[in-house]
Amino acid sequence: MTDQRAGHSPEPAVGPAHENGHDAVYGHGHGPGQGHGHGHGVRADADRRPLVAALLLILAFMAAEVVTGLVAGSLALLSDAGHMLTDAAAIALALVAMRIAARPAKGGFTYGLKRVEIISAQINGITLLLLTVFFVAEGVHRLFSPPEVSGLLVTITGLVGIAVNVVATWLISKANRSSLNVEGAFQHILSDLYAFIATTAAGLIVWLGGWARADAIAALVVAALMAKAGWGLVRDSGRVFLEAAPTGMSPDEIGARMAAMDQVVEVHDLHIWAVTSGYAALSAHVLVVPGSDCHAVRQATEAMLHDAYGIEHTTLQVDHASPKLLIIGEEGPHCRDPHGPSHSA
């Protein structure tokens, strides 16, 4: 097979050219002026101050809420405090992950430690689900045996909690929310805001109407919000660990669009995955019309993937097709056992 680089101006390839019959393998395509190490997932240079300020605010109020909840005998306040504990853990883990994930790739960690934030997100999600089980069980028990609850204390604490969560939500909204952890913390605090509204309403009902079961119902509402947030984190982090395509990206659609590019005959061995939050990667084997410019096809495909799908990190193996290679699975030097479906022009 003719070397595709002959007759073309020199162009450095990130990946080395193979000598096993393939024309060349190219790695990591980037947009103009971009290099390795630009922001993906949690970044060390992300604005830490809003996160630290929100963390301190949440911890201070959480401690006060635990004391008040015990004094008032309110499960709603204690469940809110449990939810805020997971919020604080999410922010703290995000801050730690920012430093760890920024360490350069070396040794066996060829992507660095960028998935530390995914691990912490999953831990946070599992913790939320465990707390949900506890508060649901306790809430159901209190529905049948409601204890004495100080409605006035619950109402006052709920109103203060609303104010605290509005400020904390505003602070985190100013930080880098491309991180699954930071976005998760933002969503948690937002759900806390709704929970405190429910708690305040329950406090008013207990205080003015004397119906103690309202506190347990508010606790169950908070537990439902915790379950929703926890499941979302476990699901999203699980997709990253299972190397699923990022949400919103269809491999079939992208493969068909790549196969429709000018001079492309077929695309197979297409893989799309997320290394961490906001860091999508793609690799594929692209067969082009014999005699066409493989470099030009690669560049056009990388530009399309970047512009249409925001995928900057690509590894494209571009080869000239031959009559035998137009039929996947037929004996030949390319992909005797192709992975996944093929996409033809």
Side-chain angles (χ1 to χ4, degrees):
M1 184 176 293
T2 305
D3 190 334
Q4 63 163 311
R5 292 167 293 183
H8 297 290
S9 58
E11 176 183 345
V14 178
H18 288 282
E19 297 180 358
N20 61 351
H22 297 303
D23 291 330
V25 177
Y26 301 95
H28 289 324
H30 298 278
Q34 294 171 322
H36 296 282
H38 48 78
H40 296 284
V42 200
R43 293 169 19 183
D45 62 344
D47 194 351
R48 295 171 178 271
R49 292 180 182 178
L51 295 178
V52 172
L55 176 61
L56 295 176
L57 182 64
I58 288 171
L59 287 174
F61 181 75
M62 183 187 69
E65 191 177 20
V66 168
V67 174
T68 306
L70 292 173
V71 172
S74 171
L75 179 63
L77 289 182
L78 292 176
S79 63
D80 281 333
H83 196 180
M84 294 193 81
L85 176 62
T86 62
D87 293 343
I91 297 173
L93 287 169
L95 289 167
V96 172
M98 285 178 184
R99 289 195 177 277
I100 296 177
R103 294 178 180 176
K106 62 180 180 179
F109 296 94
T110 56
Y111 277 120
L113 297 173
K114 297 184 184 298
R115 280 196 177 171
V116 167
E117 69 139 342
I118 306 301
I119 295 174
S120 63
Q122 188 154 82
I123 291 172
N124 185 38
I126 292 172
T127 303
L128 273 175
L129 293 177
L130 292 175
L131 284 172
T132 297
V133 173
F134 170 77
F135 286 120
V136 166
E138 188 65 19
V140 171
H141 172 71
R142 290 197 176 202
L143 278 176
F144 292 99
S145 302
E148 290 292 328
V149 177
S150 174
L152 178 59
L153 275 178
V154 173
T155 302
I156 294 173
T157 308
L159 290 173
V160 176
I162 290 173
V164 167
N165 276 271
V166 166
V167 175
T169 301
W170 173 73
L171 286 170
I172 294 186
S173 69
K174 295 170 61 179
N176 172 25
R177 287 171 56 194
S178 66
S179 160
L180 184 60
N181 264 338
V182 178
E183 179 63 18
F186 176 80
Q187 294 298 331
H188 282 192
I189 292 176
L190 192 61
S191 66
D192 259 343
L193 178 59
Y194 301 142
F196 273 111
I197 294 173
T199 299
T200 303
L204 284 170
I205 293 173
V206 174
W207 179 32
L208 301 177
W211 192 49
R213 286 184 174 85
D215 181 76
I217 293 174
L220 292 174
V221 171
V222 175
L225 293 171
M226 292 170 65
K228 181 177 182 295
W231 171 247
L233 281 178
V234 171
R235 179 197 60 211
D236 292 345
S237 59
R239 286 184 62 87
V240 175
F241 285 130
L242 293 174
E243 308 242 326
T247 302
M249 290 188 186
S250 169
D252 289 337
E253 175 191 327
I254 294 174
R257 191 159 178 177
M258 291 173 65
M261 298 288 291
D262 188 37
Q263 303 298 315
V264 174
V265 173
E266 181 181 273
V267 175
H268 55 262
D269 283 1
L270 173 63
H271 301 284
I272 308 172
W273 69 100
V275 177
T276 188
S277 301
Y279 187 165
L282 177 149
S283 66
H285 189 185
V286 181
L287 300 180
V288 299
V289 175
S292 60
D293 187 340
C294 291
H295 290 284
V297 172
R298 174 182 60 84
Q299 291 172 342
T301 303
E302 287 175 352
M304 182 276 292
L305 293 170
H306 176 274
D307 296 343
Y309 301 100
I311 303 175
E312 296 178 345
H313 290 258
T314 60
T315 303
L316 299 177
Q317 178 177 323
V318 183
D319 293 314
H320 290 133
S322 67
K324 287 185 178 181
L325 297 180
L326 295 179
I327 303 176
I328 291 296
E330 187 167 331
E331 288 297 324
H334 296 291
C335 296
R336 298 181 182 182
D337 184 21
H339 307 133
S342 61
H343 304 273
S344 301

